[in-house]
Amino acid sequence: MHAVLSRGPDGVPVLTRTATPGPEASSPTAVADLPATVAALDVAEQPRWTWDDTTAWYPGLLAAGVRVDRAHDLRLAHRILRSSALAAGSALAAAPPGPWDAPPAAVDPEVPVGTVRRPQSESLFDLGPERPRTRHEAEPASRPDPVAELAAQQDAVEGAAAPGRLRLLVAAESAGALVAAEMRHAGFPWRADVHDQILTDTLGPRPPEGARPARLESLVGEIRAALDAPPTLNPDSHPDLLRAMEYAGVGARSLRKWELERLDHPVVAPLLEYKNLYRLWTANGWHWLDQWVTDGRFRTDYVVGGVVTGRWSSTGGGALQLPKAVRRAAQADPGWVLVVADAAQLEPRVLTAMSRDEAMAAAGQHGDLYAGIVASGAVESREHAKVGMLGAMYGGTTGVSGIVLPRLTRAFPRAMGLVEDAARTGERGGVVTTWLGRSSPPPGQAWEAVQAGALDDGAAADAASTARSSARSWGRFTRNFVVQGTAAEWALCWLASIRRGLWELGTSSSPGLGPAPFADRPHLAFFLHDEVVVHAPAAMADDVARVVREAAAEAGRLLFGDFPVEFPLTVATVDSYADAK
């Protein structure tokens, strides 16, 4: 049963219960106390809560201590079905752009349920300036009908070329939205005092606003002295710094780390240290600590499907790029632990399963896929196996990749053939699709103009070369799209299974410092593509590790059935995130 939530003209939540959207749906009912209604119905009937955006409804419910078991995010599902090649013949895919094509919203959990705001995002979408909408503010006259949209989506899935796969993808994407909201609500345990001490030990005491920390200021002096530069030289100005380095005869053409490390000059050591510490100060320094850590928790807004392949992004705090230097501040609550798990060699294993390459599956059956490739005789070293596989998935054709790829192709023709076919499709301007049905975007008008320009009678001498280069570049994108996108689908199923399994473990007699409904339960606290962190009572750590491992196996079965591919995990139980690796 679907429990569809929408808003009435006055902004009051409205509930429509339906098993089959359309004429048989129940009459919409205004809901005075949404958290209480949702909590009671979720226990009594276990519906699939259906709403326009998870980010518009779920944070407020969580703030009231209410967790839901299942949901269907109409806007996330619409985005998938709108562009999926598997549903290309549906009425939904053929319809002109409408309100369901707008980007997903995000919500401040401090405001009442039903209040919507648009975020500034680090994802592919430019959502424009943020503007809150109050609970009672009138929506546009063309308010989208969630019941009708649900019916259109079900029709699109049922009429798809592979309805089972699309159904799983839509369910997993919606479950991911629940996970993202819950991780933001629960937060990643973070010791502000430890973080401050890390910064003080590394950079010196916190400086006044507008000033550099003491260690950076000292390095500035060393850089100026090494270059015999005036005291006005600002190393934060790359043009000025490069000019000073040229004047001093350093011979650097850029400030890239790999180029600086090849140079023999006294400025190199202090400059490299300055660059490293400057990034720590600006990306994860005291300002970051003030902005993103409250009540002993680091919280960010995850954007589900924020990357075109289906990977997540985040809208602030650099959650997907936490440097090792500050991970010691991520510490479990007293009596609790962090269970950290990452999937080993996820993308090549996904490629193995997608292609049904039994030879490569056999190579990965003993834990280390790259070592298994060496044992098969395909290549001579583990490093060659790793570089060759990365080259196959990302389009590397030079150096070691160029040498070992032909050998990998002979040993594993199905796996190598799959990514080669995806690359050729992209080079022709075609669309490729992940295992469950997320399709790549077309290359766009600029790309098509370059290709067409090479055929013009008056084309420039280098037009053909430019067109070939552009085609190969798009081929590298589609080559990786099918693998990275399917790996993201596996990760979504993994997260959904972990979420369910953790809740089924029940409560602990040792509550943590986090908010309800997770204060006394193990819960997901952090996610990074192929890695999860669960915050758990110490006494439940072994059960949590079991849940995480079983979820990885279940994700493999959901996507690939009984094909003999393994998804081994590295699992560590630690007090601090820094100790996990």
Side-chain angles (χ1 to χ4, degrees), residues 487-554:
E489 293 165 353
W490 180 92
L492 281 171
C493 293
W494 186 35
L495 285 173
S497 182
I498 292 172
R499 175 181 183 266
R500 184 187 65 246
L502 292 179
W503 190 258
E504 290 174 352
L505 289 179
T507 60
S508 166
S509 58
S510 301
L513 304 177
F518 305 112
D520 56 357
R521 291 177 176 271
H523 54 269
L524 285 157
F526 186 68
F527 169 60
L528 179 61
H529 305 320
D530 57 2
E531 178 181 300
V532 297
V533 180
V534 176
H535 192 208
M540 303 177 77
D542 290 344
D543 287 334
V544 168
R546 172 182 54 79
V547 165
V548 170
R549 288 193 171 95
E550 289 176 352
E554 182 178 24

Side-chain angles (χ1 to χ4, degrees), residues 179-200:
V179 170
E182 290 172 1
M183 287 197 299
R184 192 202 187 285
H185 174 74
F188 194 13
W190 203 271
R191 290 276 301 275
D193 59 331
V194 173
H195 191 135
D196 177 76
Q197 191 60 53
I198 291 170
L199 297 176
T200 301

Side-chain angles (χ1 to χ4, degrees), residues 21 50 130 148 155 203 215 226 270 282 314 341 442 483 489 496 521 530-531:
T50 302
E130 186 178 287
D155 287 345
L203 301 171
R215 180 53 187 158
T282 56
S314 66
V483 180
E489 293 165 353
R521 291 177 176 271
D530 57 2
E531 178 181 300

Side-chain angles (χ1 to χ4, degrees), residues 81-382:
L81 298 173
R82 182 79 156 151
S83 60
S84 175
L86 300 183
S90 67
L92 186 149
W100 290 104
D101 294 297
V107 162
D108 186 335
E110 301 301 322
V111 300
V113 175
T115 302
V116 181
R117 68 176 174 85
R118 292 158 66 98
Q120 294 177 342
S121 173
E122 294 172 356
S123 71
L124 297 177
F125 308 102
D126 180 8
L127 305 185
E130 186 178 287
R131 184 187 67 82
R133 174 184 295 157
T134 65
R135 176 189 285 269
H136 299 293
E137 181 179 348
E139 298 214 8
S142 59
R143 181 186 295 114
D145 180 352
V147 176
E149 173 63 19
L150 177 59
Q153 292 187 10
Q154 290 186 328
D155 287 345
V157 170
E158 295 307 316
R165 293 186 183 184
L166 264 184
R167 191 179 300 113
L168 176 58
L169 175 55
V170 167
E173 188 92 336
S174 296
L178 295 178
V179 170
E182 290 172 1
M183 287 197 299
R184 192 202 187 285
H185 174 74
F188 194 13
W190 203 271
R191 290 276 301 275
D193 59 331
V194 173
H195 191 135
D196 177 76
Q197 191 60 53
I198 291 170
L199 297 176
T200 301
D201 292 344
T202 306
L203 301 171
R206 182 170 186 167
E209 191 69 26
R212 294 187 184 94
R215 180 53 187 158
L216 285 179
E217 198 61 55
S218 174
L219 288 168
V220 170
E222 293 181 36
I223 291 169
R224 289 169 179 163
L227 295 176
D228 194 22
T232 56
L233 174 65
N234 178 9
D236 302 336
S237 170
H238 286 194
D240 291 351
L241 182 57
L242 282 171
R243 278 193 294 269
M245 293 171 71
E246 182 180 4
Y247 180 80
V250 177
R253 293 173 297 178
S254 75
L255 297 176
R256 295 185 180 91
K257 180 181 178 181
W258 63 266
E259 183 171 349
L260 293 174
E261 288 176 335
R262 294 190 295 113
L263 302 176
D264 182 15
H265 192 278
V267 77
V268 171
L271 181 55
L272 287 174
E273 184 179 356
Y274 182 88
K275 284 166 59 69
N276 184 48
L277 296 184
Y278 180 83
R279 171 153 184 79
L280 171 64
W281 176 47
T282 56
N284 297 96
W286 289 280
H287 179 69
W288 182 93
L289 189 58
D290 293 341
Q291 185 174 6
W292 297 107
V293 178
T294 56
D295 301 324
R297 295 292 187 270
F298 164 50
R299 291 181 171 88
T300 188
D301 287 312
Y302 292 98
V303 181
V304 178
V307 178
V308 69
T309 59
R311 275 190 167 193
W312 290 14
S313 63
S314 66
T315 60
L320 305 184
Q321 296 177 328
L322 287 178
K324 293 182 179 179
V326 300
R327 291 184 181 183
R328 184 159 50 89
Q331 296 190 11
D333 292 347
W336 286 49
V337 293
L338 301 177
V339 180
V340 183
D342 68 276
Q345 303 153 348
L346 176 58
E347 290 190 358
R349 292 177 187 277
V350 162
L351 172 59
T352 301
M354 291 175 68
S355 63
R356 293 303 201 253
D357 194 313
E358 294 182 356
M360 187 169 285
Q365 284 182 346
H366 300 292
D368 188 337
L369 173 61
Y370 299 138
I373 290 175
V374 175
S376 75
V379 297
E380 297 174 354
S381 70
R382 187 183 185 280

